[in-house]
Amino acid sequence: MGVKAARAVENLENVDAIIVSASYPVGKNVSREIGRHLPVRPKFHLDIHAACSGFVRGLVYMKEHEEEFDNKRVLFVATEKYSHTLADLREGGINNDPSMAQTIFSDGAVAVVFTYGKDIAIIGYGSKKLPKETDNYIRMPIDNALMTPPFLEEPVPTSTNKFQQDGPRVYEAILLSVPELNRKLIQETGLKAPDIKLAIPHQASGRMISALASRMSDLNVFRDLDDGNFSSASIPKAMIRAIKEGEIQRGNKILLSGFGAGLYASSAIVELG
């Protein structure tokens, strides 16, 4: 999926770095593997295994290492396959896993290419590791033996072969932390809510987006839920749709907010060049 998404990107040349967000490691460096199938040979590769916050964590990584990425062409691929880890909730299966009632996961990949500092400039960012008691609210069947450096990782492994979450507790914890994180980030960057053209949170579920929007009522919160929850691919997917629909354009500042397994939240204010 990641290769197919990358090949569909226009102006895929002179790429200096490939960053890939994928919740589940596969025993090989995914960013290098995708690069092998493309007509580019960048020197830098990075895999991020941070579940739903992966895309924003990648942007934060670039901001934290800005001297390495300034004016460099970056191919960022978010490629997510969850179907093999989920229980079948049809025909009464929901009774076996009621925590999944509010979430419909999807498989898919999104790729974007940009010049850091020109097409995308990160004005500020904020990250928050939620209290340790939330660690087990989401558990994922991740085999740490399959991790291949370099990588960033956060999700808590589980001994089963299925994705597990305590839906009500995740919902409560995110609502208590993410709006506060975003308000603090806006203040620290010297901006005000009207300066933010659009807020694009991780598209976890309709219920979650509605609740976040009600707690961030001074922001225009974007929804892109028709195709389900794409984990770390949900934010770049929503960004592309917002651009196509004219909701955002060059010069606009947008707030991207990722959150999920860990529990971990990461937000960034980005200006489109």
Side-chain angles (χ1 to χ4, degrees):
M1 291 187 298
V3 171
K4 186 175 181 179
R7 285 174 172 169
V9 173
E10 296 181 357
N11 302 318
L12 185 64
E13 70 273 341
N14 301 322
V15 169
D16 300 296
I18 298 179
I19 299 178
V20 170
S21 173
S23 294
Y24 294 103
V26 294
K28 58 182 70 176
N29 186 284
V30 184
S31 53
R32 289 187 181 276
E33 189 68 15
I34 289 176
R36 285 198 317 108
H37 297 274
L38 303 175
V40 294
R41 293 295 179 266
K43 295 181 179 180
F44 182 87
H45 298 82
L46 176 67
D47 283 5
I48 301 173
H49 303 299
C52 302
S53 61
F55 182 75
V56 180
R57 288 195 69 192
L59 296 180
V60 169
Y61 180 90
M62 284 187 278
K63 179 65 174 178
E64 291 175 337
H65 300 81
E66 202 160 42
E67 68 284 353
E68 299 177 29
F69 290 96
D70 196 35
N71 288 316
K72 298 293 179 63
R73 293 270 292 172
V74 178
L75 171 64
F76 200 129
V77 181
T79 180
E80 299 286 10
K81 184 175 184 291
Y82 270 73
S83 57
H84 66 296
T85 73
L86 301 174
D88 190 340
L89 303 185
R90 296 171 296 181
E91 298 180 1
I94 190 64
N95 297 322
N96 298 323
D97 191 0
S99 69
M100 301 300 296
Q102 300 292 337
T103 304
I104 300 176
F105 281 97
S106 301
D107 296 337
V110 175
V112 292
V113 65
F114 55 88
T115 299
Y116 181 86
K118 180 181 178 182
D119 300 320
I120 289 181
I122 300 172
I123 298 174
Y125 67 91
S127 296
K128 183 175 183 178
K129 174 70 176 67
L130 275 61
K132 187 161 184 63
E133 59 265 25
T134 70
D135 286 1
N136 293 326
Y137 289 2
I138 297 178
R139 297 178 67 87
M140 303 172 67
I142 290 178
D143 183 353
N144 286 329
L146 295 178
M147 294 285 189
T148 55
F151 64 85
L152 302 177
E153 73 89 17
E154 193 68 35
V156 177
T158 179
S159 58
T160 73
N161 63 352
K162 295 296 182 184
F163 180 97
Q164 299 174 326
Q165 75 169 351
D166 186 329
R169 286 186 173 180
V170 171
Y171 178 82
E172 180 180 356
I174 294 302
L175 292 184
L176 286 174
S177 59
V178 170
E180 178 185 1
L181 174 66
N182 290 339
R183 282 192 292 269
K184 182 179 179 181
L185 173 58
I186 293 172
Q187 291 173 357
E188 288 179 345
T189 53
L191 300 173
K192 298 184 182 300
D195 298 322
I196 307 297
K197 178 68 173 178
L198 203 63
I200 305 179
H202 164 51
Q203 304 292 300
S205 69
R207 182 169 179 248
M208 180 70 82
I209 298 302
S210 295
L212 286 173
S214 69
R215 287 162 176 77
M216 301 187 299
S217 57
D218 52 349
L219 297 172
N220 181 18
V221 177
F222 192 69
R223 298 170 64 96
D224 181 35
L225 293 159
D226 293 349
D227 301 313
N229 178 343
F230 284 84
S231 190
S232 70
S234 76
I235 289 179
K237 177 179 178 294
M239 281 181 60
I240 292 171
R241 178 178 171 185
I243 291 171
K244 288 181 177 179
E245 295 182 355
E247 295 285 340
I248 51 177
Q249 54 191 344
R250 293 181 183 275
N252 288 162
K253 297 178 180 65
I254 58 177
L255 172 64
L256 308 179
S257 186
F259 50 83
L263 289 180
Y264 196 91
S266 188
S267 295
I269 296 177
V270 173
E271 183 169 0
L272 302 180

